[in-house]
Amino acid sequence: MGCRDVHAATVLAFLSGTASVAGLLAAVLLPNWRQMRLYTFNKNERNVTVYTGLWIKCARFDGSRDCVIYDPQWYTAVDQLDLRVLQFALPLSMLTAVSALFLCLIGMCNTAFVSTVPNIKLAKCLVNSAGCHLVAGLLFLLACAICLTPSIWVIFYNNYLNRKYEPIFSFDISVFIAIASAGGLFFTSVLLFLWYCACKSLPSPFWQPLYSHAPSMHSYASQPYSARSRLSAIEIDIPVVTHAS
């Protein structure tokens, strides 16, 4: 598999990265990171479930979809450390993943539309597709780590809250969406690393373009002046003496 062609691996990596970013966006916006169930012993009243997100908080009665208490300013008064960390970690993870998608798209467009024989004057300015995909894979891996670590911490912090107060706290669907998105980012980085390993046999380093020099520059390069001066002493015309019969 040569890296000058667009392959299914790079296309699949780009689609997987896009889906993972969309999952992160959904996890950031949904108010379903933690549930707090408040029970009542009055038969004439209903239990209340408080849904806590990164930016809003919503309280609902059991069997109802309407918020009896809706707090859109929750993001300014978050009193739970894990959610406060997620407010910074998830947007940073999304920004890193979007940068990786941009690099991946540049590498794909370069392999698809750039001529295989570059102009000798622009050879050192060409985009290296293998380098773009390698850096994109590293960025995807970084985005995975930034997203996965605080998302898993929510589970342990939830157990801490249940031990400290009462067993009324439980993590919600956004935790699973964030962890699944982190898995998608990791899968995307693995695909790009595999694609790069298939291109590793190319002679040019990954920080330089695939064609660091034009092919004709090596085969038709002139010899240095010192070599020509040494040859000139050997190539002096020597008269040949022949014996006449």
Side-chain angles (χ1 to χ4, degrees):
M1 181 173 66
C3 60
R4 294 188 182 93
D5 303 322
V6 176
H7 297 282
T10 55
V11 176
L12 181 60
F14 182 80
L15 295 178
S16 176
T18 304
S20 300
V21 171
L24 284 179
L25 180 61
V28 167
L29 297 180
L30 286 175
N32 298 98
W33 278 93
R34 174 169 290 123
Q35 292 184 12
M36 182 175 61
R37 287 188 58 81
L38 304 177
Y39 298 93
T40 179
F41 296 99
N42 189 344
K43 297 182 179 180
N44 297 324
E45 296 181 356
R46 292 180 293 177
N47 297 330
V48 177
T49 302
V50 179
Y51 296 89
T52 305
L54 302 182
W55 317 106
I56 61 175
K57 178 185 285 188
C58 173
R60 299 174 183 171
F61 288 115
D62 286 357
S64 175
R65 295 186 176 181
D66 297 329
C67 296
V68 294
I69 299 177
Y70 181 80
D71 186 7
Q73 302 297 323
W74 163 248
Y75 66 94
T76 61
V78 174
D79 57 354
Q80 300 170 15
L81 182 59
D82 57 340
L83 299 184
R84 178 65 76 182
V85 172
L86 282 167
Q87 285 182 338
F88 295 95
L90 290 189
L92 180 60
S93 177
M94 290 177 55
L95 180 62
T96 306
V98 169
S99 302
L101 282 176
F102 182 69
L103 275 177
C104 185
L105 185 61
I106 290 177
M108 291 172 60
C109 292
N110 180 69
T111 54
F113 302 110
V114 173
S115 174
T116 57
V117 181
N119 188 348
I120 187 174
K121 296 181 179 180
L122 302 177
K124 290 185 175 296
C125 301
L126 292 178
V127 175
N128 184 5
S129 300
C132 285
H133 289 307
L134 178 63
V135 177
L138 293 174
L139 289 178
F140 276 124
L141 192 61
L142 177 62
C144 171
I146 296 174
C147 169
L148 186 62
T149 304
S151 299
I152 294 179
W153 185 36
V154 172
I155 301 175
F156 295 97
Y157 196 83
N158 190 79
N159 296 332
Y160 165 76
L161 292 177
N162 286 328
R163 291 193 304 268
K164 184 177 181 180
Y165 300 103
E166 295 182 9
I168 58 177
F169 298 95
S170 61
F171 50 89
D172 208 347
I173 189 173
S174 293
V175 178
F176 301 103
I177 295 177
I179 293 176
S181 300
L185 293 174
F186 180 76
F187 175 72
T188 304
S189 66
V190 169
L191 281 178
L192 292 177
F193 289 152
L194 290 176
W195 188 88
Y196 174 76
C197 289
C199 306
K200 200 173 182 181
S201 59
L202 289 177
S204 67
F206 67 88
W207 288 118
Q208 297 179 5
L210 295 181
Y211 297 95
S212 58
H213 299 284
S216 60
M217 292 178 64
H218 299 283
S219 57
Y220 298 102
S222 60
Q223 298 179 351
Y225 176 78
S226 59
R228 292 199 305 268
S229 62
R230 289 195 300 267
L231 290 177
S232 61
I234 301 174
E235 294 173 352
I236 299 175
D237 293 333
I238 299 176
V240 179
V241 179
T242 59
H243 299 280
S245 56

